[in-house]
Amino acid sequence: MYWSELFIPTLRDDPAEAEAVSHKLLVRAGYIRQLAAGHYSMLPLGQRVRSKVARIIEEEMDRIGGQRFHLPALHPAEIWKRSGRWDVMGDEMFRLVDRKGADNALGMTHEEVFALLATELFSYKDLPQIWYQIQTKFRDEPRPKSGLLRVREFTMKDSYSLDVDETGLGEAFDRHHGAYLRIFSRLGLHVVDVEASSGAMGGSGSIEFMVRSGAGEDWIVTCDGCDYRSNLEKATSKLATVEDADTVPEPSRFGTPDLHTIKALAEAFPDIAAPDRQIKTLVYLIDDEVTLVLLRGDHDLLEQKLIDATGGIKVRPAQPEEIVAALGAHPGSLGAVGVTGLRIVADHALSGRRGMTTGANTDDWHLRDVDVERDVAVDTWASLRTVRAGESCPNCDGQLDLWKGIEVGHIFKLGTRYSEAMNALVQDESGASLPIVMGSYGIGVERGMAAIVEASHDERGIVWPVAVAPYEVVVTVLRPDDEAASTAARDVYSGLTDAGVEVILDDRAERPGVKFADAELVGFPYRVTVGPKGVANGVAEVTRRAGLETVEVALSDVVDHIVTAVERGRGG
RNA sequence: CGGGAUGUGGCGCAGCUUGGUAGCGCACCUGGUUUGGGACCAGGGGGUCGCCGGUUCAAAUCCGGCCAUCCCGACCA
């Protein structure tokens, strides 16, 4: 292709609205344009990268036996009602009413539709199956941001494994795990696979694939001593033990006027109310049920852990009035001692603790000498607290590190929730009907693109890996009006084209500086520079985008030189 | 949804305090000179000043409402 004929609208300035590097560069280099918050048009260069990413995903899915489908994006409400997710998904699902007055939704994921198709599987002999598609998803994100990193409309490769039992699911899960590692490696992404929360998907286990980046929105915990790694939402750590007295008397009240925070109480009563000696009592409404959430005074709740521990769908902190109605006191004087009739969820760090201090459920009064197991009717023990950097690894003596990552993929063991809802059953050897055991696996295509840019750029622009670059090579003619240079450049161009290299000829009537700057901004992996002086000497220059080192190559060898380099790069 | 900010040719911005003629840089068009790191000269085209309403002889500018976008917190590929 000739650059002079293409639509590559590069900009000299960063768009004012962009913050994330990938957002700035993809807009500036002419890959994308925003239509609305969270909706981006893919320009020709963007579309080329997008389809290359999708192609790599497709190849690796096919390699593990995946069969590609294409499902509707618009779904009748009925299937979502059957799975129960019509209500669960809340405002995140785009909903619309058609001319008949029927409710519809734009698909945010496709478990329901695939499970429905799986009702045409009848025998265990039909399993296993891996089904997938690469398709547009719609999610009414409360806050789209950072260009392609978080949007409301995006392309997802979503696959679904169908197995007769948990063992089969485990195998399909592992195969996807391997395929995902290969995909991200081919995309040039260094991913870390971490334990993760399953969130609204449900199921028994999930792994996320994270790319380390300051633009990421997830916190990842890794150990410096072993291979422990986890999303913060799932992470645990070993805590230093706190020495408590062997026995403590019955709890007793003491006045604490105007002491409404952990810190204030600790300062006023340092010997009995150090933060790690207090019980923090939070009040939550979990599916409209008032629930007390107990943590050690110096710990912070991680809400997703509470959701995972309770299976709640609608989870929110209680309003002050609701708290007073439930406990008879205001925040700052709350506690769980003697409370009956309310669900109590407590963090493991409180287990076995004695001599604790907590609110007395009377304003301005606290209780001391609390023995958690003796005095509090805990219904559920769970890991609820937020792990902090520097704490000890749960599996070894190492220290935990905390960093931000971009979630580029997520795989879930779903189980039978959707197959049961859709009545997707198969008969086993004995003739008994069993629900198909499902897994679900997702990769965000455009987010993957953005993650590559986040991870691979310099001050001049994008540095694409060969495997996903919109074109592999740009041939830059320094003087298109010089016949010798122009002819030599066209020869290189057609030689590369004939050799199957994706090449673009920068034949624009621009000065060299403009062409170099654009080539580097756009990020072609290789540049062949052809100018009158070089041509007179029978040479061109080859510049690798990563590192920008330049070598002089005889014109007669340029095609071979590039073909070798590009072929090495294509494998990822 | 809570908090903060912004909306002026395609992009980046000034003008608004103190109402009256909409301006600069880049990009674009024409001609010329230039040509190995975002050239120069001359001429030129393009703007409902986010939208609606109000105040006023007169509104980009003042007032009210709405909308949109971005950033920070609660959600996710």
Side-chain angles (χ1 to χ4, degrees), chain A residues 541-555:
Chain A
E541 285 163 14
V542 174
T543 305
R544 202 166 69 97
R545 178 65 186 85
L548 290 173
E549 65 273 5
T550 296
V551 293
E552 223 170 58
V553 179
L555 275 171

Side-chain angles (χ1 to χ4, degrees), chain A residues 380-400:
Chain A
T380 308
W381 289 95
S383 169
L384 300 174
R385 71 186 185 86
T386 307
V387 165
R388 298 194 184 111
E391 290 178 351
S392 295
C393 174
N395 296 346
C396 76
D397 295 327
Q399 268 205 347
L400 295 180

